[in-house]
C-alpha cells in the first residue's frame, strides 16, 4: 500500500497544543484504513521500534557525535522496553509519556539542550479512514539546543515521515 504523508498545520483540538508556544513545531499526517482497535500507543511503539537500517545508521552517527557533549544517547534495547514505557507510562532512559487521551499519546524526550514532545494521534476521517498525525514540538534550553536542532532539521522531517509510514504499515500488517 502506498501511504502518502503530508506536512500539515497542528490540529488545535489535540492535547499537544498545551505545549505551545515553542521554538519549533511541525506536524505530518497520513490518511489510512487503519483498524479501529489500533491505538496511538500501538503506533508510538511501532514508531520507535521499526527503524530501517539507514535510520539506525543516522541515529548511531548522532549518538557518536553528541556523546562528547554529554547528551543522552539511545541504547540498543528491545522494542519491549520502549513498549513498556509507552503502554504502562514507565520512565525510559530517553523518554517518558507526558500525556495521553484515547486518541493521542505524547512522549517527552528531555535532555540538557532541549525538550521535545512527540505526539501521535488518530482521528476519524472520511470513508471509514483514519487521520494519523505525528507532531513534534521542541523547546530549546540553551544555544546548543538551537545549534543541535537546526543542524538536524532536514533529517528530522525525512526520518519522521518515514517512521510514521513504517508504524502505520506495521499496524496494517497485523490486521
Amino acid at each position: 500500500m502506498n501511504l502518502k504523508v503530508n506536512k500539515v498545520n497542528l490540529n488545535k483540538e489535540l492535547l499537544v497544543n498545551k505545549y505551545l508556544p515553542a521554538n519549533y513545531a511541525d506536524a505530518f499526517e497520513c490518511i489510512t484504513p487503519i483498524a479501529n482497535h489500533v491505538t496511538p500507543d500501538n503506533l508510538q511503539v511501532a514508531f520507535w521500534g521499526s527503524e530501517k537500517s539507514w535510520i539506525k545508521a543516522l541515529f548511531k552517527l548522532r549518538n557518536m557525535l553528541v556523546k562528547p557533549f554529554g547528551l543522552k544517547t539511545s541504547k540498543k534495547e528491545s522494542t519491549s522496553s520502549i513498549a513498556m514505557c509507552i503502554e504502562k507510562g514507565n520512565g525510559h532512559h530517553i523518554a517518558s509519556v507526558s500525556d495521553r487521551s484515547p486518541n493521542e499519546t505524547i512522549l517527552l524526550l528531555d535532555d540538557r539542550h532541549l525538550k521535545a514532545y512527540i505526539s501521535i494521534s488518530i482521528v476519524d476521517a472520511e470513508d471509514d479512514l483514519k487521520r494519523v498525525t505525528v507532531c513534534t514540538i521542541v523547546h530549546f534550553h540553551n544555544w546548543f539546543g538551537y545549534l543541535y536542532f537546526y543542524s538536524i532539521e532536514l533529517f528530522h522531517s525525512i526520518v519522521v515521515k518515514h517512521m510514521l509510514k513504517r508504524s502505520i504499515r506495521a499496524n496494517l500488517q497485523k490486521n
Side-chain angles (χ1 to χ4, degrees):
M1 167 179 265
N2 187 17
L3 298 174
K4 185 166 170 68
V5 175
N6 296 308
K7 188 167 188 173
V8 295
N9 293 325
L10 270 67
N11 179 340
K12 303 254 188 251
E13 296 175 16
L14 296 177
L15 287 173
V16 76
N17 283 285
K18 75 182 190 179
Y19 301 107
L20 294 173
N23 298 109
Y24 177 87
D26 67 19
F28 297 95
E29 78 173 17
C30 183
I31 308 297
T32 180
I34 204 155
N36 287 331
H37 63 77
V38 174
T39 68
D41 283 1
N42 300 138
L43 291 175
Q44 281 278 15
V45 169
F47 187 83
W48 296 103
S50 62
E51 299 170 353
K52 271 200 136 171
S53 59
W54 66 271
I55 294 176
K56 286 180 184 177
L58 280 177
F59 278 117
K60 187 175 180 178
L61 176 62
R62 177 246 180 234
N63 290 341
M64 204 170 57
L65 293 173
V66 302
K67 192 171 187 174
F69 298 100
L71 301 184
K72 292 178 184 175
T73 57
S74 55
K75 299 174 182 170
K76 288 189 176 187
E77 296 181 16
S78 66
T79 304
S80 63
S81 68
I82 295 167
M84 200 177 231
C85 167
I86 294 166
E87 293 166 356
K88 307 245 187 268
N90 298 345
H92 190 269
H93 77 279
I94 61 168
S96 60
V97 175
S98 69
D99 219 336
R100 69 165 32 110
S101 71
N103 69 328
E104 182 178 12
T105 300
I106 304 170
L107 281 189
L108 166 63
L109 290 81
D110 193 7
D111 206 343
R112 293 178 14 184
H113 63 310
L114 58 77
K115 183 182 288 190
Y117 297 92
I118 312 296
S119 160
I120 294 186
S121 62
I122 305 170
V123 295
D124 290 333
E126 58 284 335
D127 300 327
D128 295 324
L129 297 173
K130 302 289 182 188
R131 182 180 314 276
V132 178
T133 308
V134 61
C135 301
T136 304
I137 293 181
V138 182
H139 297 270
F140 303 128
H141 293 316
N142 50 44
W143 66 270
F144 189 69
Y146 283 94
L147 180 65
Y148 169 81
F149 189 79
Y150 287 113
S151 67
I152 65 147
E153 182 183 11
L154 171 65
F155 297 107
H156 163 79
S157 298
I158 294 167
V159 169
V160 168
K161 286 180 189 179
H162 186 77
M163 289 172 69
L164 177 60
K165 283 182 189 180
R166 289 195 42 101
S167 65
I168 292 169
R169 282 191 183 112
N171 280 281
L172 286 171
Q173 290 172 354
K174 288 180 183 177
N175 297 321

